[in-house]
Structure formats: C-alpha cells, structure tokens
Amino acid sequence: MEHISLDASASPAQARRAFRDGQARPTCGIARGYAQANMISLPKEYAFDFLLFAQRNPKPCPILEVLDAGSYEPKIAPGADIRTDIGRYRIWRDGELADTCDDIRDVWDEHDDLVTFLIGCSFTFEFPLMDAGIPVRHIIAGANVPMYDTSIRCADAGRFSSTMVVSMRGIQPSQVAQAARISGRYPGVHGAPVWVGDPAGIGIGDIAHPDYGDAPVLEPGDIPMFWACGVTPQAAVMASRPPFAITHAPGYMFITDVPDRQYMA
Amino acid sequence: MEHISLDASASPAQARRAFRDGQARPTCGIARGYAQANMISLPKEYAFDFLLFAQRNPKPCPILEVLDAGSYEPKIAPGADIRTDIGRYRIWRDGELADTCDDIRDVWDEHDDLVTFLIGCSFTFEFPLMDAGIPVRHIIAGANVPMYDTSIRCADAGRFSSTMVVSMRGIQPSQVAQAARISGRYPGVHGAPVWVGDPAGIGIGDIAHPDYGDAPVLEPGDIPMFWACGVTPQAAVMASRPPFAITHAPGYMFITDVPDRQYMA
C-alpha cells in the first residue's frame, strides 16, 4: 500500500484514498482549499426529525448534503464512498458508543435505509484564517482541535434535543475581530463564533480538558473563541438515544471536492 | 367588523387580523419592514421528502420555519393562526386544485398530522429595493407580482420533483446591478435573481401572460429580472401529486413578525 503524505497539498481524492487504505488522523490542515464535512447516518424513520433538528439549528448543523436513503456516494465528492473514506467512525446503539472502526460496510449492510447527512465543518475556514495571518495553533502543533460540550440549548425537533458542542481556537486580541469577520463569510461551515471569551459563560468548567479532540494550545494573551461544531449531532444522539446511528469520530472529517470558496456568503 | 387599511404602514398583526376578518388581497406593499412567507402544509408522511426538496432547492424554497405536526401557531408570528391569517388559500387533492378559500380550519380538522412549512418570499426585499430608488412597478400599479413556470429543473427529493417558478420585476439597465446586489443581501428570502434578460432562455414563451399573479408592468427599456419564487412548492404539488396539501394563493402571503433585516446575510 502506497503511503500518501497527508498535508495541505493533498487533494481531496488522495486524502480519501489514504483513509480508505487504513490511515487515520484528524483532518485539520489537510487538503487546503476544500470543504470538510461532519457525517451522521440514521435509519430513515429518524431522518425527518434529524433534518428538522438541523434546519432549526443551522449554526451547529449547516447541511451540505443529504444523501438518498441507502446511498453512500455523495454528490459533493463523486466516486467517494461514505462507508470507507473517513479515517475513523463511531457506531452508536441506543445512544451509547458501541464501537469505533475505520470501515462501516459491515454495519451498513445491517440496514437498507440509512440516510446520511453531511454537515459543514469549521476546518474549512482554517486555511482562510491562516491566509490572513491568524495562527491556528492546533494545526501548528499537529493536534486535533479541542471541542467542548456547553450549556447552550439547541432547538428541539421531534425526538432530537441537545446542547451545543463548540470548537475552540485561541486568538490574539488584535486578531479577534478579523477571525470573526473571516469565519463569518462562511455560514455554510458554521460561520462566525457563537461565543468569545469566558468559557464559564457557556458552561465550560475547565478549558484545559476538552470533551472531544486534543488539549488546547493557548499562547499568553489568547482570547478563546468558540465556534458551533458539527459534533453537536453526536451530543444529540447521546441525549436522544435513537436505536442506531453512525458518525465520524470528532476531528476525523469527510473531505469533499467542493472548493471552500463555494460556501462563501 | 372594523375595516383596516392595508398598506405599507400596517403592522404584521393588523394585516393578519384583517385577513382573518375576511379581507383578501395580494400582500406586496403591505407591512413595510417585515418578512413575508409562502406556506405549504402536507401530511407528515410527506414532510421528510418535502423538507429534503427544500434543502436541495434553497433558491426557490428557503425555509423560514417548519411547524411541528398539527401546530398552527408559528414562532415567527406568536399569536397568529396559520389556518385563518392568510387572505386566500388553495386546497390540493392528488395534485389538483380542489378549492380556494379564506379559512382552512375545516379541512385542517380532517387531518391530525399536517406539517406546515413557511418559506421566504421576495416581497420581503421590495421595500429595500424601493428605499434604494428602484421602482417596483407592480406595487406602484397596485397589482400582484407576475410569476411564471420555467424550464429550470429543481433537484429531485424523494417523491417531489418540479420545475422552478419565478417572479419577475422590470428594472432599468442602470439599476439592474443594484437590484441584484440588494436582493442578494437576503438569501433567506430568495436572494439574488436566477436569470436576467431573455425570458425564452428559461422557457417563458410570453412574458405578457404570467402563469400566476397579474400581467406585468414594464416600462420602455426595462430588463426583466427573474427571482426564484416560493410558488415552486405548488408546481411540485402539481407535478408530484401528494394526496393532500394546503398552500397560500400566489401573492397572498403570510406576514411574519420578523424584521426583514434579520434575513440579511
């Protein structure tokens, strides 16, 4: 198996092939210029409630594509296979994490009606932040982004309810406005931050210990900026306990063929 | 019954009360500063397919709110009743127009699971156009906006497929760019036009005879500008023939309590 170097210069197809061939790492910093996506597959019986949940909560759940029931080839990445092309998956049964794996074809075949949702990811605007001279510290450190459960209530929809999950980046005071402005240009991949400053204000007890991803990298004077995060559907699965779900693992995203500019407002 | 003058100065609640009390007229030019909405109610069995249709076709079907099954009080107009507060409704059976009425409480009660979708309307950005000195000719003439079936294919979703319906406004060449720019600021209410110029290019045979609304008012030199229209769901009902649906009549919109600025990108 050829080992592909996964960095900013990888194409989306190269990155997906590397994940299909068994590599697994967080996708921040990979495939400059292309949108990345969160993924959740649910039995069709739950698809309306979840699509409504996403419609009512567009900050954490901006929908990029909804695949037809049973389909695993997204229009936003022709030739890709959603069952193999993500580095790490999570299998959920009755709202409990049942398994982690790098290929879901076996469990996929247990169902004939899974509806897959691809949801925007803030990794998409990290290259534009860096292009503007804003250091993205977890990429520099070669780490996953830190993510946190919060006290922010999402709007309920049918059988789904949840609090919001956020990602955090530490930004210098002189660049906070610029980071808000640049990310705000990309509403389809979470857009502007939902909170800037005191973590306690959104129920985060200890910023040093995130609920998902790696420990934060913060430099002296950094202001923590919090963006709505596409891991929120996983919090909704834990809270609402559908009988079955498959998601990506936080930070291990699906890389699409869509240029990030296409999601600019 | 007090007769309320329905013009730009009417509040949304005043306008809704007037429609509840039996008045009926197109809502262009009414309640300056507030978003207007297209409406469609479908049995819950069709709700996922329709929400997916809207998600895949955000230009004609930008969702403002989806009400819970059976609910008729929108969050975007507290105290309103979606069954009475629109001036004119259309009842659809098997994709055929079965009735037109000004109150749907009777047919509503035939069903216990109707899901109502409120969809953005281009009337919302007509006041901003006028504020920029762009005449909106059908408002000046006291007429409904002209709307047309087109050859533009919408993306299919489950049992729904359709071509796009558009609204048309004639704009002077010196103001075409400004009209595109101003409407483009409001993606939640159809945003920028989908077509500018030759009607034949989108399958419109005779611009003088619209498929919905009133005959167009065009001044010498006007360029026809075409915006995606929230009557598209009615074309989808005709094409896809769900057993039952209720919609507003084209141009007779639901007036919300949401300031139009809230839908600015």
Side-chain angles (χ1 to χ4, degrees):
Chain A
M1 177 191 325
E2 180 195 10
H3 188 85
I4 295 164
S5 163
L6 285 181
D7 59 17
S9 69
S11 75
Q14 284 174 328
R16 293 193 302 262
R17 189 166 65 246
F19 297 136
R20 195 181 315 156
D21 289 346
Q23 288 198 51
R25 52 153 289 188
T27 53
C28 33
I30 292 180
R32 170 189 288 270
Y34 293 92
Q36 301 198 18
N38 301 270
M39 174 264 201
I40 179 169
S41 301
L42 288 161
K44 181 145 198 279
E45 191 208 332
Y46 284 80
F48 175 67
D49 284 358
F50 185 78
L51 187 53
L52 188 59
F53 181 80
Q55 192 279 325
R56 289 180 177 173
N57 297 285
K59 286 291 280 185
C61 302
I63 296 280
L64 303 186
E65 181 175 347
V66 183
L67 281 68
D68 289 326
S71 174
Y72 45 79
E73 182 183 352
K75 288 191 172 60
I76 59 178
D81 186 330
I82 205 72
R83 305 169 305 170
T84 56
D85 292 5
I86 290 177
R88 188 171 293 166
Y89 299 89
R90 295 173 142 191
I91 313 296
W92 303 83
R93 297 188 193 275
D94 299 318
E96 307 278 344
L97 182 58
D99 198 10
T100 299
C101 57
D102 67 358
D103 182 324
I104 58 168
R105 282 176 293 183
D106 284 352
V107 287
W108 185 277
D109 289 342
E110 293 172 19
H111 302 264
D112 60 2
D113 68 345
L114 292 177
V115 177
T116 298
F117 301 82
L118 297 175
I119 293 169
C121 171
S122 58
F123 289 171
T124 308
F125 57 66
E126 290 183 330
F127 283 111
L129 290 177
M130 292 188 287
D131 289 344
I134 300 172
V136 177
R137 306 205 187 286
H138 63 96
I139 293 182
I140 295 166
N144 198 350
V145 72
M147 294 162 272
Y148 303 86
D149 291 317
T150 72
S151 56
I152 304 169
R153 296 269 337 146
C154 293
D156 295 346
R159 289 161 289 187
F160 287 102
S161 61
S162 185
T163 49
M164 192 186 295
V165 177
V166 296
S167 63
M168 191 283 292
R169 292 161 188 83
I171 307 285
Q172 285 291 297
S174 64
Q175 297 185 307
V176 165
Q178 179 81 328
R181 200 169 66 81
I182 291 172
S183 59
R185 291 178 188 156
Y186 297 89
V189 291
H190 303 306
V194 292
W195 190 260
V196 179
D198 182 18
I202 52 173
I204 297 173
D206 181 0
I207 199 170
H209 292 91
D211 298 291
Y212 318 88
D214 288 329
V217 184
L218 288 166
E219 297 291 331
D222 271 0
I223 304 291
M225 297 184 72
F226 298 93
W227 279 266
C229 178
V231 172
T232 301
Q234 299 184 38
V237 165
M238 287 184 259
S240 310
R241 309 177 74 83
F244 184 75
I246 308 171
T247 69
H248 70 293
Y252 295 70
M253 315 309 293
F254 180 72
I255 300 181
T256 80
D257 284 350
V258 182
D260 51 23
R261 284 166 193 277
Q262 196 166 315
Y263 292 111
M264 288 185 81
Chain B
M1 178 189 324
E2 179 194 12
H3 189 84
I4 295 163
S5 162
L6 284 180
D7 59 17
S9 69
S11 75
Q14 284 173 329
R16 292 194 302 261
R17 190 166 62 247
F19 297 135
R20 195 182 315 158
D21 289 345
Q23 288 198 52
R25 51 155 288 189
T27 53
C28 32
I30 292 180
R32 170 189 288 270
Y34 293 92
Q36 301 198 16
N38 300 271
M39 174 263 201
I40 179 168
S41 300
L42 288 162
K44 179 142 200 281
E45 192 209 332
Y46 284 79
F48 175 67
D49 284 358
F50 185 78
L51 186 53
L52 188 58
F53 181 81
Q55 191 278 325
R56 289 179 177 171
N57 298 285
K59 286 289 280 186
C61 302
I63 296 281
L64 303 185
E65 181 175 347
V66 183
L67 280 69
D68 290 325
S71 174
Y72 44 80
E73 182 183 353
K75 289 191 170 60
I76 59 178
D81 187 330
I82 205 72
R83 305 169 305 171
T84 55
D85 291 4
I86 290 176
R88 189 171 295 167
Y89 300 89
R90 294 173 142 192
I91 313 295
W92 303 82
R93 298 189 192 275
D94 299 319
E96 307 278 345
L97 182 60
D99 199 9
T100 299
C101 56
D102 67 358
D103 181 325
I104 58 168
R105 282 176 294 182
D106 284 351
V107 288
W108 185 277
D109 289 342
E110 293 172 20
H111 302 264
D112 59 2
D113 68 346
L114 292 177
V115 177
T116 297
F117 302 81
L118 297 175
I119 292 170
C121 172
S122 59
F123 289 172
T124 307
F125 58 64
E126 289 182 330
F127 284 111
L129 291 177
M130 292 188 287
D131 288 344
I134 300 171
V136 177
R137 305 205 188 287
H138 64 96
I139 292 183
I140 295 166
N144 198 350
V145 72
M147 293 161 272
Y148 304 85
D149 291 316
T150 73
S151 55
I152 303 169
R153 297 267 340 143
C154 293
D156 295 346
R159 289 161 288 187
F160 287 103
S161 61
S162 185
T163 48
M164 192 185 295
V165 177
V166 296
S167 64
M168 191 284 291
R169 293 161 187 83
I171 307 285
Q172 285 291 296
S174 63
Q175 297 185 308
V176 166
Q178 179 82 329
R181 199 169 67 80
I182 291 172
S183 58
R185 290 177 188 156
Y186 297 88
V189 291
H190 302 305
V194 292
W195 191 259
V196 179
D198 182 18
I202 51 173
I204 298 174
D206 181 1
I207 199 169
H209 293 93
D211 298 291
Y212 318 87
D214 289 329
V217 184
L218 289 166
E219 297 292 332
D222 271 0
I223 304 290
M225 297 184 73
F226 298 94
W227 279 266
C229 177
V231 172
T232 301
Q234 300 185 37
V237 165
M238 286 184 259
S240 309
R241 309 178 72 84
F244 184 74
I246 308 172
T247 69
H248 70 292
Y252 295 70
M253 315 309 294
F254 180 72
I255 300 182
T256 80
D257 284 349
V258 183
D260 51 22
R261 284 166 193 275
Q262 195 165 315
Y263 292 111
M264 288 185 82

